């Protein structure tokens, strides 16, 4: 297909954004999607509109990444774990205790080094628009408070499908079990797994605290979420539309980071109010 507008006529389109996250107005990932969509629609005078499909309706993070590479999905939010299956360099974000805090992580995300890493995914069929701050990852389980590394020993621990996660938790003495995020809640309820780890925003939005009482603020890894377009979609856009997408992505990421920072304290308060045992 020729880029939109190359024949002198602007082509209208509706673009689906697939995400594993819920369409919850307080969720930082949804805030990103909504901000991005609204800005692009405004700047294109309604020519480009969006349909945000949350809650893994169009697949989990692994399936979304695959859909982007195949061109069966136009846009999607996918995880660092799924992205790393296409380029192992992106496992960097999951190195244990690499960043002191989210501010340091975001400074790296905005660096030239990260931009060069993102370009490496274009040969896989994905164009990275933004890497979102998903917050530091925390531990939660159905058995006990984690007070020392030895407390992980023997626990059936869900990890994302990435070797670095598996190796880290096996090294801690847990029995690491790769599993899709969509299966975690049921796994905790049924005892298939004893524990898992997610950033606070995911623990809250997925209501995992209702299935696992013990939550420990281990801050062991950084959660990076990738907003990508397929190469097929990107190449259909005119140069002007590509610029609009890029500027909207920057503004949306700023809004998402602000929401991420503000949400953690209030979400932890609600999690504790629901009866979970939260330990710093």
């Amino acid at each position: 297909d020729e880029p939109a507008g190359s024949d002198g006529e602007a082509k209208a389109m509706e673009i689906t954004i697939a995400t594993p996250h819920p369409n919850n107005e307080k969720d930082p990932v949804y805030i990103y999607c909504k901000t991005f969509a609204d800005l692009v629609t405004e700047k294109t005078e309604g020519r480009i509109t969006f349909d945000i499909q949350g809650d893994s309706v169009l697949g989990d993070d692994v399936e979304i990444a695959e859909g982007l590479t195949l061109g069966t999905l136009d846009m999607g939010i996918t995880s660092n774990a799924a992205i790393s299956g296409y380029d192992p360099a992106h496992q960097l974000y999951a190195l244990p205790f690499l960043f002191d805090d989210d501010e340091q992580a975001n400074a790296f995300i905005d660096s030239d080094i990260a931009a060069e890493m993102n370009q490496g995914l274009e040969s896989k069929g994905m164009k990275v628009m933004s890497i979102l701050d998903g917050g530091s990852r925390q531990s939660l389980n159905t058995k006990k408070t984690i007070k020392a590394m030895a407390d992980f020993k023997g626990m059936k621990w869900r990890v994302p499908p990435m070797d670095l996660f598996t190796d880290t938790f096996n090294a801690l003495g847990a029995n690491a079990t790769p599993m899709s995020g969509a299966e975690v809640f049921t796994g905790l309820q049924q005892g298939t797994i004893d524990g898992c780890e997610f950033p606070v925003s995911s623990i809250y939005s997925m209501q995992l605290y209702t299935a696992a009482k013990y939550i420990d603020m281990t801050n062991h890894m950084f959660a990076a979420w990738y907003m990508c377009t397929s190469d097929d979609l990107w190449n259909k856009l005119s140069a002007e539309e590509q610029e609009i997408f890029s500027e909207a992505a920057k503004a949306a990421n700023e809004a998402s980071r602000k929401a991420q920072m503000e949400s953690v304290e209030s979400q932890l308060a609600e999690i504790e109010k629901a009866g979970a045992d939260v330990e710093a």
Side-chain angles (χ1 to χ4, degrees):
D1 289 346
E2 291 185 7
S6 63
D7 57 2
E9 295 181 6
K11 299 175 183 177
M13 65 177 83
E14 181 177 69
I15 298 169
T16 297
I17 301 175
T19 170
H21 290 252
N23 285 6
N24 181 319
E25 292 185 357
K26 294 183 179 180
D27 183 85
V29 173
Y30 177 74
I31 288 170
Y32 177 99
C33 294
K34 186 70 166 60
T35 304
F36 174 86
D38 287 349
L39 285 170
V40 172
T41 298
E42 177 188 350
K43 292 293 185 182
T44 60
E45 299 179 341
R47 188 174 68 255
I48 299 178
T49 57
F50 296 85
D51 178 24
I52 304 169
Q53 290 285 339
D55 285 322
S56 298
V57 168
L58 297 179
D60 60 23
D61 52 339
V62 174
E63 292 166 324
I64 289 171
E66 183 179 17
L68 290 166
T69 62
L70 295 175
T72 56
L73 286 175
D74 285 330
M75 295 192 73
I77 302 275
T78 187
S79 69
N80 171 242
I83 286 288
S84 297
Y86 296 92
D87 185 347
H90 288 264
Q91 292 191 72
L92 178 146
Y93 291 104
L95 287 171
F97 306 105
L98 177 64
F99 301 113
D100 291 337
D101 50 34
D102 285 9
E103 184 178 0
Q104 191 179 82
N106 286 325
F108 179 80
I109 286 169
D110 294 337
S111 70
D112 291 340
I113 296 173
E116 186 174 342
M117 288 171 59
N118 292 344
Q119 287 174 4
L121 287 166
E122 293 179 16
S123 64
K124 310 297 182 182
M126 290 179 279
K127 166 74 175 177
V128 179
M129 302 304 303
S130 300
I131 295 180
L132 285 65
D133 178 354
S136 296
R137 302 181 74 94
Q138 316 300 345
S139 302
L140 63 155
N141 74 91
T142 60
K143 302 294 185 183
K144 60 187 177 182
T145 297
I146 301 293
K147 296 180 179 179
M149 286 190 291
D151 292 331
F152 285 100
K153 188 173 182 180
M155 296 184 84
K156 294 174 290 185
W157 203 268
R158 178 269 173 181
V159 294
M162 186 197 297
D163 289 345
L164 188 56
F165 278 86
T166 303
D167 293 345
T168 296
F169 281 91
N170 280 339
L172 290 171
N175 296 320
T177 304
M179 180 185 291
S180 161
E183 301 175 77
V184 170
F185 190 95
T186 302
L188 290 168
Q189 283 187 319
Q190 296 180 348
T192 308
I193 53 174
D194 299 319
C196 57
E197 48 81 65
F198 283 94
V200 171
S201 60
S202 295
I203 294 170
Y204 179 76
S205 64
M206 296 166 68
Q207 296 189 324
L208 296 176
Y209 57 90
T210 65
K213 175 183 177 181
Y214 300 99
I215 299 173
D216 298 285
M217 304 297 286
T218 47
N219 295 306
H220 53 277
M221 292 174 175
F222 178 76
W225 289 95
Y226 289 62
M227 166 59 112
C228 303
T229 72
S230 68
D231 278 356
D232 288 349
L233 171 62
W234 186 252
N235 292 331
K236 287 178 184 176
L237 300 175
S238 68
E240 180 185 1
E241 288 166 345
Q242 289 178 351
E243 181 64 22
I244 289 171
F245 270 53
S246 297
E247 290 303 315
K250 290 177 184 177
N253 213 8
E254 289 178 10
S256 180
R257 286 176 180 178
K258 184 173 184 290
Q260 172 64 34
M261 261 191 332
E262 294 173 349
S263 67
V264 170
E265 188 174 340
S266 61
Q267 287 173 349
L268 282 175
E270 290 193 41
I271 288 170
E272 285 188 290
K273 188 176 179 180
D277 183 2
V278 179
E279 296 290 333

